[in-house]
Amino acid sequence: CIYIYRGNIKGKLGTRTIVGSGFSNGDWEHIALSYDSQTSQMSLYLNGNHAETASGVTSYTESSQTVYIGKSGDSAAFFKGELDQLRVWSKALTTIELRTRALLTDLSSVSSDLRAHYPMDTGQ
């Protein structure tokens, strides 16, 4: 889960939450949350820059947790803003991969790692 609370970007997985600062309301921002099952680390990135990391994060499996887009879990807190795209990758991206792939429009060269892509502008 990625969410914005009181001007801070937060990433949450299981019971662990990490906080990154530097978010600007009204500006386009690239936000990424990465989970590495090999190291049990969750990392938060803002505009391609590493913001925060948490270690010892409970492992995530596709069947163990529900993924919400634009909503904070079971609460009634909805995202008040616009989403340009959402991409889900099958691996934890390195900082360089994250920066390189952030602005890609042609995803054919990286499609083997891409699990889901929601461009948010096609009406689908």
Side-chain angles (χ1 to χ4, degrees), residues 26-92:
D27 293 333
W28 183 92
E29 305 279 1
H30 180 267
I31 303 166
L33 183 66
S34 176
Y35 174 68
D36 187 335
S37 62
Q38 301 299 315
T39 62
S40 297
Q41 288 188 328
M42 172 176 55
S43 297
L44 184 66
Y45 296 86
L46 180 60
N47 296 320
N49 297 310
H50 179 259
E52 190 63 52
T53 294
S55 299
V57 178
T58 306
S59 69
Y60 170 84
T61 60
E62 289 181 33
S63 62
S64 70
Q65 297 189 18
T66 302
V67 175
Y68 295 96
I69 301 171
K71 182 176 185 267
S72 178
D74 293 329
S75 76
F78 292 92
F79 179 66
K80 296 175 185 168
E82 297 178 31
L83 296 176
D84 180 55
Q85 344 185 354
L86 174 70
R87 297 176 186 171
V88 179
W89 302 94
S90 62
K91 66 176 193 164

